Amino acid sequence: MPVQSDMTLLYIVAGYLAVMLGVGVWAYGETETAEDFMVAGRSLGAVVIAGTLLATWMGSGTVTGGANSIAYDNGLIPAILMGTASLIGIGVLKMLAPRIRRFDKLTVPEMIGEELGDEGRIISLLVIAFAYVGIVSYQFIGIGFVLNVTTGLSVMQGTLLGTVLIIALAAMGGLMSVAYTDAISAFLMLVGLVIAVPFVFFEAGGWSGITANVPATHLDTFGDLSFVEFFALWAPPLLLILADQNMYQRIIAGETDDGTNAGLIAWFVGAIATMTLVPLIAFASRAMFPELDPGMALIATTTALPTWVGGILLAAATAFIITTGSSYLLSACTNLSQDLYKGFVNPDAPDSRIFWLTRVLVIVLGLFAFVLGQYFPTILEVQMYSYTAYGAAITPPLLSIFLFRDRLTKIGGLTGMVTGAVLAVSWDTVLGSPYGLDAVIVAAPIGCVLIVLVSYLTSALSSPSPTRA
């Protein structure tokens, strides 16, 4: 079945976008300080916390990459199993949430710098900016897919329009606008997925019709992936979510501890639903459209559904893509303005200057993300590369700060951090994946081991010798 563009779907998507921009305009008037821009003035309630966490995490990486692409390309079971990485990560963040809120820092580089000094802060802010720009780049492409299906525009033309839209939303009201549009988007996405699944299965011929038209290996436990290949796809999302600055900032932005805790529980429940329903739709799409770019799997099904169902699903997918792009773009810019400029270049910079510098950086980094996105052949590849770079360099030292702060030393943290970053960037590209192992299988474990080992050795060496009797 060929994919036919359907302009009618665009009207529903356009209605959603109008609402999002309206919220952005409202937030523009409510945003007066840098803290408003970065953590919404620490004013978010449980419902908004849950919505912004779900929508930020389940972006283009979910509806065009990750579980979507794996379900289409490799099989249903591995795609659903991918969701367990997110669930484990959410559980850990819930456990750490009180400590994160008490830390009283706005960014991850500030947290790392508190323990590992200026060197750790600089390395982390550069790694985060690099990784987040990569994540933003495939949100732009995701919008390109949506506009290709609805209008017939080329993916490149749609990507350009998506770039402008995401940059505008992030620049308007910062986290204040992003958080509230996230909450609306999360609700829309869950409703859209629940409504769409039975329609998609009916159009695909039911379970028997789907299984008869997909490769036989796509019904195996790991599909047509080996366990090592599956693990190389599963580990990067876990490593990212455990230390994702976006998640930490939303936890900080909660108005109360109880509200934040309730929001995290609701996020967990929403993630279970999303990480099950998206693979089911993408798996059915393989039977319906066997020659697609895997990133188009879920989006393509909207053209085969009743217009109102397809429109809701497409608007929901667009919702997740746009809010995730805005969130990660905003977070990267916060690092450069708050951690680099105010932290090192101009510590006495007034709040108003940081506020407007962040807005300017949203535009600059947004354009850079568009350019970067043109160098990766698939969304899944840029997704895994960005996740691995972040997870290998940032997650080990950050978790070390929260889990064994008393034993962590500066030299231990920096050694693991630098080694993880270098291996993440060079293992596949420069070294050619020695022994056939992906970077994530090597970089993060080695970084963790070095942090513990070097911290133990250096703390032991620096401890005073016991006084002899």
Side-chain angles (χ1 to χ4, degrees), residues 100-120:
I100 294 170
R101 288 174 61 80
R102 287 197 303 268
F103 213 105
D104 199 30
K105 301 293 181 183
L106 298 182
T107 68
V108 164
E110 283 184 311
M111 296 177 186
I112 290 177
E114 182 81 3
E115 298 299 317
L116 304 184
D118 290 347
E119 299 90 342

Side-chain angles (χ1 to χ4, degrees), residues 382-438:
V382 66
Q383 181 185 5
M384 292 300 114
Y385 189 73
S386 300
Y387 284 15
T388 299
Y390 193 104
I394 304 300
T395 303
L398 185 61
L399 290 183
S400 298
I401 290 170
F402 286 108
L403 297 178
F404 69 104
R405 191 173 186 177
D406 292 340
R407 299 293 296 177
L408 178 66
T409 66
K410 179 177 179 179
I411 187 64
L414 290 175
T415 299
M417 190 177 193
V418 171
T419 303
V422 170
L423 286 174
V425 172
S426 65
W427 185 262
D428 294 333
T429 56
V430 177
L431 301 178
S433 304
Y435 311 108
L437 299 175
D438 288 279

Side-chain angles (χ1 to χ4, degrees), residues 33 79 182 208 272 311 319 367 402 421:
T33 68
D182 280 355
S208 59
I272 292 175
L367 295 175
F402 286 108

Side-chain angles (χ1 to χ4, degrees), residues 128-339:
I128 291 172
F130 168 77
Y132 280 6
V133 164
I135 292 170
V136 171
S137 71
Y138 60 78
Q139 312 305 318
F140 296 162
I141 299 171
I143 296 298
F145 286 159
V146 170
L147 293 177
N148 173 256
V149 162
T150 55
T151 67
L153 286 173
S154 70
V155 172
M156 172 60 76
Q157 291 170 324
T159 300
L160 279 168
L161 290 175
T163 300
V164 173
L165 182 63
I166 289 174
I167 289 174
L169 185 60
M172 279 183 182
L175 187 58
M176 187 71 77
S177 66
V178 168
Y180 281 89
T181 56
D182 280 355
I184 297 169
S185 301
F187 176 75
L188 180 62
M189 187 65 177
L190 288 174
V191 171
L193 289 171
V194 170
I195 292 174
V197 166
F199 283 95
V200 170
F201 267 57
F202 176 79
E203 291 294 332
W207 180 253
S208 59
I210 294 169
T211 54
N213 288 286
V214 299
T217 56
H218 284 202
L219 298 171
D220 296 340
T221 302
F222 294 110
D224 54 14
L225 297 168
S226 68
F227 174 77
V228 173
E229 290 171 331
F230 170 77
F231 185 78
L233 294 170
W234 180 87
L238 174 61
L239 290 171
L240 175 65
I241 196 173
L242 288 173
D244 191 336
Q245 181 169 257
N246 278 293
M247 309 305 131
Y248 279 58
Q249 287 180 322
R250 279 152 178 77
I251 290 171
I252 294 167
E255 186 173 15
T256 65
D257 290 344
D258 289 343
T260 302
N261 188 60
L264 285 163
I265 294 171
W267 177 27
F268 185 90
V269 174
I272 292 175
T274 306
M275 287 298 204
T276 303
L277 298 173
V278 168
L280 286 170
I281 293 173
F283 185 64
S285 182
R286 178 59 185 258
M288 299 165 68
F289 308 103
E291 302 296 330
L292 285 179
D293 179 318
M296 289 282 286
L298 182 144
I299 291 172
T301 63
T302 63
T303 65
L305 302 176
T307 300
W308 69 274
V309 178
I312 291 174
L313 182 58
L314 194 60
T318 307
F320 269 17
I321 294 169
I322 289 177
T323 54
T324 297
S326 299
S327 296
Y328 280 90
L329 183 55
L330 172 63
S331 198
C333 295
T334 297
N335 287 145
L336 295 181
S337 62
Q338 180 75 15
D339 294 301

Side-chain angles (χ1 to χ4, degrees), residues 342 345-351:
K342 186 171 184 178
V345 178
N346 188 1
D348 298 322
D351 188 77

